[in-house]
Amino acid sequence: MPQQVVLIPGDGIGPEITAAVVRVLEAAEARIEWVRHAAGAEALAPEGTTLPDALMEAIDEHKTARKGPITTPVGTGFASVNVALRKSFDLYANLRPTRSLPSLPTHWGDIDLVVVRENTEDLYSGLEHEVVPGVVESLKIITERACLRIAEFAFVHARQNKRHKVTAVHKANIMKLSDGLFLDCARRMAENYSDIAFEDMIVDNTAMQLVMRPQRFDVLLLENLYGDIMSDLCAGLVGGLGLSPGANLGADHAIFEAVHGSAPDIAGKGQANPTALLRAAVMMLRHLGQGDVADRVRAAVEQVIAQPALRTRDLGGEASTSQFAESVVAALA
Ligand code: ATP
């Protein structure tokens, strides 16, 4: 019996990499029935809203979605659909694994760490206003409830995945109340997990340590904004945004996506690397209990990336998005 999953192609490179994922998962005989819905700019013209009711109802009903990137206009225009989806379904944990591939050596050797980003508050609350002309205020909301549950998520994830250390990243020396609360909650939660080592680190130092000695990290626990920035940095450590997947997880719902955005500079050119979205699909398949299919897709993707001629441009190859997908299909065991 196939499992129904909401499929949001997204915009920019979204439709191209979505087609690649659908093609590969079909060939891998994933037990999935896609329920397609548009969101963001794609939905705005025909539906008059960036988040149509039918889409929200479908996610609510089917619990799992696979989302392509959705553009958020810079400075003006509609609010982020990505942020709205996370808030609507209380997807409080953003899990972004960073793992180097054996065939793509990094400057630092093997890297295997995971970013756990709080997904519902911080400066992403979107509470901004003009106090007087020329002066704007943006509110950073930090709550004990959100800090405790994301800290708990990080420690549970560490324990379940045999990881040994959680590093809470903050700027509590400057933002003594907001980041101070985040740090205090992480420290309190750490007391319940004596089998997992705990440390905290100032965010700017973390940025430096990540590019000098990434191996010293295991699970990084961050507020929303720091998590967004640091996960792009982590993606860069292992080969770029084309490789890095993410999952937005709540108590009842889950949305799987790539860390990257809609990449308008290469949209429609068939150049995008679908690996990040394929890896997100692998995470989704495990979440759905289809670990057998996940293993096959993961192995096939790694086998293709191991051959330089079959890589996409961001990794130095010449393959188009669809050619890459066909190579993965051919490599499926
Ligand atoms: P957002 O703020 O929405 O996350 P962004 O400003 O971080 O977006 P991206 O759209 O992620 O920007 O793109 C950043 C750079 O990475 C661009 O040069 C883009 O072409 C490149 N890039 C992103 N995703 C891919 C991909 N899948 N394959 C190849 N290049 C990519």
Side-chain angles (χ1 to χ4, degrees):
M1 185 73 177
Q3 291 165 289
Q4 291 187 311
V5 173
V6 177
L7 183 75
I8 308 168
D11 51 61
I13 58 171
E16 303 160 60
I17 54 178
T18 294
V21 170
V22 169
R23 167 82 179 107
V24 169
L25 263 56
E26 193 176 56
E29 294 174 358
R31 300 174 289 282
I32 287 175
E33 185 187 323
W34 299 113
V35 180
R36 278 180 188 262
H37 281 276
E42 298 291 296
L44 193 55
E47 312 252 7
T49 169
T50 54
L51 281 173
D53 289 346
L55 162 67
M56 302 305 267
E57 284 159 18
I59 297 176
D60 201 23
E61 181 186 348
H62 302 305
K63 312 283 186 227
T64 307
R66 199 247 44 145
K67 185 181 78 58
I70 297 173
T71 305
T72 308
V74 177
T76 56
F78 58 81
S80 168
V81 167
N82 308 302
V83 172
L85 282 172
R86 292 166 190 166
K87 281 190 191 162
S88 299
F89 294 100
D90 201 20
L91 306 173
Y92 66 91
N94 194 330
L95 187 66
R96 296 181 158 183
T98 296
R99 193 169 55 83
S100 55
L101 292 169
S103 60
L104 285 179
T106 74
H107 295 298
W108 307 266
D110 292 343
I111 296 176
D112 180 13
L113 57 87
V114 58
V115 170
V116 174
R117 165 187 174 191
E118 202 289 321
N119 226 5
T120 61
E121 55 181 30
D122 188 11
L123 283 160
Y124 282 67
S125 306
L127 296 172
E128 295 188 312
H129 67 116
E130 188 174 52
V131 183
V132 291
V135 181
V136 294
E137 190 172 44
S138 184
L139 298 182
K140 169 165 171 150
I141 308 291
I142 300 290
T143 66
E144 184 178 39
R145 173 176 174 269
C147 293
L148 284 173
R149 70 177 178 171
I150 195 66
E152 183 172 32
F153 180 96
F155 282 101
V156 168
H157 181 84
R159 189 178 271 173
Q160 287 177 347
N161 292 277
K162 300 194 173 30
R163 293 190 175 269
H164 59 271
K165 184 168 72 171
V166 171
T167 305
V169 180
H170 61 90
K171 191 78 181 174
N173 52 337
I174 304 296
M175 281 161 280
K176 295 183 194 294
L177 288 184
S178 52
D179 284 19
L181 177 59
F182 178 81
L183 176 57
D184 180 56
C185 290
R187 283 182 175 149
R188 277 156 51 197
M189 192 55 67
E191 288 171 12
N192 302 328
Y193 294 84
S194 54
D195 50 323
I196 311 287
F198 175 74
E199 65 176 0
D200 70 272
M201 193 177 284
I202 305 276
V203 63
D204 36 350
N205 182 26
T206 308
M208 181 193 71
Q209 298 281 346
L210 269 169
V211 296
M212 293 188 76
R213 287 197 301 145
Q215 278 92 356
R216 73 176 303 295
F217 296 104
D218 195 3
V219 177
L220 288 161
L221 167 63
L222 308 100
E223 290 169 18
N224 206 340
L225 178 63
Y226 305 149
D228 190 13
I229 296 167
M230 289 300 160
S231 52
D232 267 32
L233 189 155
C234 289
L237 293 175
V238 296
L241 283 170
L243 297 173
S244 293
N248 300 286
L249 304 168
D252 300 316
H253 300 85
I255 300 182
F256 296 84
E257 63 185 0
V259 166
H260 61 71
S262 57
D265 52 333
I266 56 168
K269 296 181 179 166
Q271 293 175 4
N273 185 349
T275 301
L277 210 51
L278 282 165
R279 283 173 132 186
V282 167
M283 292 172 83
M284 184 189 77
L285 287 163
R286 290 198 204 292
H287 174 83
L288 292 171
Q290 298 190 32
D292 53 334
V293 188
D295 288 342
R296 291 175 60 228
V297 172
R298 177 185 150 168
V301 169
E302 293 188 6
Q303 206 179 309
V304 172
I305 290 181
Q307 300 172 68
L310 301 183
R311 294 175 187 164
T312 45
R313 285 184 185 217
D314 55 314
L315 299 180
E318 289 186 2
S320 68
T321 310
S322 56
Q323 285 167 341
F324 184 90
E326 291 309 319
S327 298
V328 175
V329 168
L332 283 169

